[in-house]
């Protein structure tokens, strides 16, 4: 078993979005340096894995070319991997996935679960990378219109099982596949809460689970209107969910605030250990 998948506390995956400055090449260099610094800062704050992405996946976001995407992420991945950090690459492109693994990434985090690029499964099989298959319907442009379910947990579960079958048919080791329900990806409002309530059922697929709720829109929907639109206001709700996810337990959480997630998980672990001690009396 890969050490990153071995039984341990819930892993914290810290997010680094590499967005180049549009003003000049100098600005691009600064964006890269800033991204590397941010990755180091997340690791120091307790992130076990640094997730580097060069393409926004927000609803309606513009797609970018894999060559441009590589230019954004590879230098960041190389620098963080050279520091000895566990790095994942957030990409839907097989070309970028292969280049990122060559640059030192251990994990390919694909929000499309390989639906976006038919070459992805064979790249994962060939490189032997760990692979996060996230549930998605359609593309970031179309996903919200496809958020129609009779039973969101059952349907996400069976669609993820289909992704696992496609990956293993291409030669991917099932022991290296992590599954992610894709909170906010082709799910709206209450569908996200139902999925979180149904994680036990998704766990029955037999793969580690990664969950990303951090600062997402569905958390803003709980808040008074004057705070609803600001993602940074969603941190308390994010951290509350991190604690609950650590109790499920899930394998990992993908977050922006690594320190808050690390502390929440440490508190849950401590409480669990105290409960075990008391029960043994
Ligand atoms: N969410 C976003 C991007 N990548 N990857 C995985 N595996 N799971 C997620 O939930 C996920 C992801 C969108 O969040 P961001 O725009 O804040 O990075």
């Amino acid at each position: 078993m890969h050490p990153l998948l071995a039984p341990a506390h819930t892993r914290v995956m810290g997010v680094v979005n590499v967005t180049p400055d549009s003003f000049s090449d100098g600005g691009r260099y600064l964006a890269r340096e800033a991204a590397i610094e941010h990755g180091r800062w997340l690791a120091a704050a307790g992130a076990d894995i640094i997730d580097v992405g060069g393409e926004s996946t927000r609803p309606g976001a513009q797609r970018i070319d894999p060559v441009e995407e590589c230019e954004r992420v590879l230098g960041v991945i190389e620098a963080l991997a050279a520091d000895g950090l566990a790095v994942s690459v957030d990409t839907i492109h097989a070309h970028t996935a292969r280049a990122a693994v060559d640059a030192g990434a251990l994990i390919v985090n694909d929000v499309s679960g390989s639906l976006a690029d038919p070459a992805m499964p064979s790249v994962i099989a060939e490189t032997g990378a760990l692979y996060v298959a996230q549930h998605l319907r359609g593309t970031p442009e179309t996903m919200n219109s496809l958020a129609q379910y009779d039973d969101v947990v059952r349907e996400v579960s069976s669609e993820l099982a289909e992704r696992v079958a496609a990956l293993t048919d291409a030669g991917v080791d099932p022991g290296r596949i992590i599954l992610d329900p894709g909170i906010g990806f082709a799910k709206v409002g209450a569908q996200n809460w139902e999925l979180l309530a149904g994680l036990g059922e998704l766990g029955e697929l037999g793969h580690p689970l990664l969950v990303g709720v951090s600062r997402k829109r569905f958390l803003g929907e709980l808040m008074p209107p004057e705070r609803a639109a600001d993602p940074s206001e969603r941190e308390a709700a994010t951290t509350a969910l991190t604690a609950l996810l650590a109790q499920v337990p899930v394998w990992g959480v993908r977050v922006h605030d690594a320190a808050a997630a690390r502390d929440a998980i440490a508190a849950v672990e401590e409480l669990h250990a105290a409960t075990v001690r008391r029960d043994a009396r």
Side-chain angles (χ1 to χ4, degrees):
M1 180 184 283
H2 192 284
L4 270 178
L5 298 183
H9 64 82
T10 292
R11 295 330 200 269
V12 175
M13 177 184 272
V15 180
V16 176
N17 286 319
V18 190
T19 47
D21 190 312
S22 53
F23 293 108
S24 68
D25 281 358
R28 177 164 298 183
Y29 176 71
L30 276 180
R32 175 177 298 171
E33 285 303 304
I36 294 167
E37 276 316 304
H38 189 58
R40 289 178 176 147
W41 181 81
L42 287 166
D48 302 289
I49 301 155
I50 309 300
D51 189 40
V52 181
E55 180 174 39
S56 175
T57 48
R58 281 194 199 90
Q62 238 191 330
R63 315 308 304 165
I64 62 162
D65 177 57
V67 174
E68 168 75 13
E69 185 185 28
C70 282
E71 214 173 286
R72 293 183 187 182
V73 300
L74 293 184
V76 179
I77 291 168
E78 254 166 38
L80 296 176
D83 284 357
L85 300 175
V87 179
S88 66
V89 60
D90 189 339
T91 187
I92 60 171
H93 298 119
H95 173 87
T96 306
R98 186 187 290 277
V101 173
D102 288 347
L106 296 175
I107 305 178
V108 174
N109 172 27
D110 179 352
V111 298
S112 83
S114 80
L115 280 174
D117 188 338
M120 186 66 94
S122 58
V123 165
I124 301 306
E126 284 162 26
T127 59
L130 298 176
Y131 182 71
V132 178
Q134 193 208 253
H135 178 267
L136 175 67
R137 283 181 177 174
T139 64
E141 292 87 27
T142 62
M143 64 187 181
N144 280 354
S145 65
L146 300 170
Q148 284 157 21
Y149 303 88
D150 288 328
D151 180 337
V152 68
V153 177
R154 193 172 41 75
E155 289 170 56
V156 167
S157 179
S158 74
E159 288 166 33
L160 281 174
E162 283 170 23
R163 302 321 307 146
V164 170
L167 287 153
T168 53
D169 283 354
V172 176
D173 174 357
R176 298 174 91 81
I177 301 174
I178 297 153
L179 297 178
D180 185 325
I183 298 297
F185 287 82
K187 289 96 191 167
V188 291
Q191 292 165 348
N192 293 299
W193 294 107
E194 273 184 52
L195 260 181
L196 292 175
L199 286 176
E201 206 174 316
L202 294 185
E204 286 167 17
L205 292 171
H207 294 266
L209 296 178
L210 174 69
V211 182
V213 299
S214 187
R215 301 183 184 172
K216 285 188 177 169
R217 181 186 301 265
F218 79 115
L219 300 177
E221 290 165 7
L222 298 176
M223 292 173 191
E226 64 277 15
R227 294 201 288 119
D230 178 357
S232 69
E233 292 281 356
R234 303 171 188 162
E235 199 49 56
T238 298
T239 306
L241 285 179
T242 294
L244 293 168
L245 290 166
Q247 273 184 312
V248 169
V250 299
W251 170 78
V253 288
R254 183 181 178 280
V255 297
H256 299 88
D257 186 339
R262 182 229 158 263
D263 293 352
I265 292 163
V268 168
E269 292 273 309
E270 205 57 33
L271 182 57
H272 178 67
T275 307
V276 170
R277 281 198 303 276
R278 274 193 71 77
D279 288 351
R281 271 194 196 159

